Amino acid sequence: MKIGIVCYPTYGGSGVVATELGIGLAKKGHHVHFISYKRPPRLSTFMENIHLHEVNSMSYPLFEYSPYETALASKLVDVVKYESLDILHVHYAIPHAAVAFMAKQILASQGIRIPVITTLHGTDITLVGADQSFSPVVEFTINNSDGVTAVSRHLAQETYDTFKITNDIRVIYNFIDFNRFRKEDKSHFKMAIAPNGEKILAHTSNFRKVKRVEDVIKIFKQVHAKIPSKLLLIGDGPERIHLENLCRQIGLCSEIRFLGKQDAVEELLAVSDLFILPSQNESFGLAALEAMACEVPVISSNIGGIPEVNITGKTGFTSEVGNVDEMSHNAITLLENEDMLNSFRKNALDHAKTFDIENILPVYEEYYQEVSEKVVA
Ligand code: GMT
């Protein structure tokens, strides 16, 4: 098939899922056209069957805000028409589902039919999408997409609960590529980070408020008081300055390393003993799945879709959002009990395997087929 994928070119979340999906489909022989305002980070080298169309929106003194949606819709019309795409798959409803709807109408006026699938990722429904400034458009475009998927059962339900939804929402889970995310021997890294055999805790995110990275540091403080340990904070974002200040206040700067955005997260996960994800909101928690694929148990909140990924008492532990004491207690229990830690490591890997890209890709291919047949009929 010729597939158009619209996504944010971001390091985390929906951008990564969209990019990995496109790469996986291209490897299976599909022609994948990415449409975004910048090259997604994981598309760094030439790959057969992959095409990238960057959206440039013209600036003009009249525009206080450049009309990106108009430029993206025009680009979609152009790419669908001249690359003869079979389907458009847009990731993150805002503004992509609305833009795809507009492009679809323009193409229809020219006699071209293009099926549109919208994948809901989380904040496009929860924090952002439910806001009155976006909700009428989000609701309309979900109901007027030819296919809609959500990345967890919880997100699908939350979408039904938040909006008046008349369309079916198919749950297609996020996935993991085990060719990349697997535990490898990186003992030289371990030596550099924890030269005295300290335990390594890790957290990856975009350092937005919703991730509650402050809780990660508070949990680490309690763990460190009992167990020689180091904390790796991977990623970057608006909360970083505040978090650096917190590390200074509690006097743990030399035990906590801010590593910034990293391309090879798997190499850091390979040397980690525990992953911490105390989010306020999380539709799935891809970062937790990446850790589990590298055999790292997860201490997390029990919000949103996280319990579908991190099975409490098996692959890690989940607690109420903000219950730093319980999360710290669970982390210490696991780190102090080597047998338990090892069995959780194995369980984490086993459960991660249910999200293997090899299983999820065919589900997307079948869904593309199903939606295309419905639109053409
Ligand atoms: O929160 C992020 O990291 C970004 C956000 C996005 O849409 O880019 O992530 C959401 O999508 C991810 C991929 O489907 C999910 O794994 C995250 O749980 C989800 N984030 C939230 O719901 C807060």
Side-chain angles (χ1 to χ4, degrees), residues 8 10 12-15 17 92 119-124 126-127 151 155 174 205-206 208 210-211 279 281-287:
Y8 283 100
T10 45
S14 62
V17 171
Y92 204 87
T119 288
L120 311 173
H121 280 273
T123 49
D124 46 352
T126 56
L127 281 183
V151 299
L155 182 62
N174 283 334
S205 76
N206 48 28
R208 293 192 202 134
V210 66
K211 301 291 174 181
S279 307
N281 232 299
E282 203 71 68
S283 66
F284 181 88
L286 187 58

Side-chain angles (χ1 to χ4, degrees), residues 111-315:
I112 299 169
R113 282 211 271 190
I114 183 81
V116 172
I117 292 178
T118 300
T119 288
L120 311 173
H121 280 273
T123 49
D124 46 352
I125 296 303
T126 56
L127 281 183
V128 187
D131 189 88
Q132 238 186 328
S133 55
F134 293 115
S135 57
V137 175
V138 171
E139 183 175 282
F140 176 84
T141 50
I142 290 174
N143 287 334
N144 285 280
S145 292
D146 300 300
V148 184
T149 77
V151 299
S152 65
R153 275 187 281 126
H154 187 276
L155 182 62
Q157 191 53 52
E158 192 156 16
T159 310
Y160 288 124
D161 294 344
T162 309
F163 303 98
K164 286 199 190 80
I165 298 298
T166 53
N167 219 344
D168 279 342
I169 301 176
R170 186 74 55 93
V171 175
I172 305 184
Y173 280 117
N174 283 334
F175 49 80
I176 190 88
D177 184 352
F178 280 93
N179 290 318
R180 181 176 162 206
F181 287 92
R182 58 171 192 253
K183 190 165 178 64
E184 283 194 284
D185 183 15
K186 295 279 169 196
S187 26
H188 55 295
F189 272 25
K190 192 147 194 143
M191 272 303 289
I193 297 164
N196 303 310
E198 295 92 338
K199 295 288 186 198
I200 300 177
L201 284 72
H203 168 82
T204 320
S205 76
N206 48 28
F207 288 33
R208 293 192 202 134
K209 265 203 174 338
V210 66
K211 301 291 174 181
R212 295 183 72 101
V213 190
E214 202 179 308
D215 286 1
V216 177
I217 294 174
K218 290 180 184 162
I219 293 165
F220 177 70
K221 185 173 175 244
Q222 295 199 30
V223 171
H224 185 263
K226 291 241 164 155
I227 298 169
S229 46
K230 300 278 181 184
L231 173 63
L232 303 181
L233 291 175
I234 307 158
D236 213 326
E239 288 295 290
R240 175 151 172 187
I241 292 183
H242 167 66
L243 297 165
E244 284 172 339
N245 283 335
L246 178 61
C247 294
R248 287 172 201 142
Q249 274 166 28
I250 61 174
L252 283 176
C253 290
S254 53
E255 316 301 332
I256 300 175
R257 289 182 69 165
F258 285 85
L259 297 173
K261 289 177 185 166
Q262 295 278 327
D263 282 328
V265 180
E266 65 278 14
E267 296 186 341
L268 297 161
L269 293 172
V271 299
S272 300
D273 296 292
L274 270 190
F275 188 80
I276 317 288
L277 191 70
S279 307
Q280 179 85 34
N281 232 299
E282 203 71 68
S283 66
F284 181 88
L286 187 58
L289 177 59
E290 291 178 347
M292 286 162 57
C294 296
E295 300 175 40
V296 185
V298 176
I299 299 293
S300 68
S301 59
N302 58 8
I303 202 77
I306 294 182
E308 293 169 60
V309 181
N310 182 23
I311 312 296
T312 199
K314 212 173 155 211
T315 65

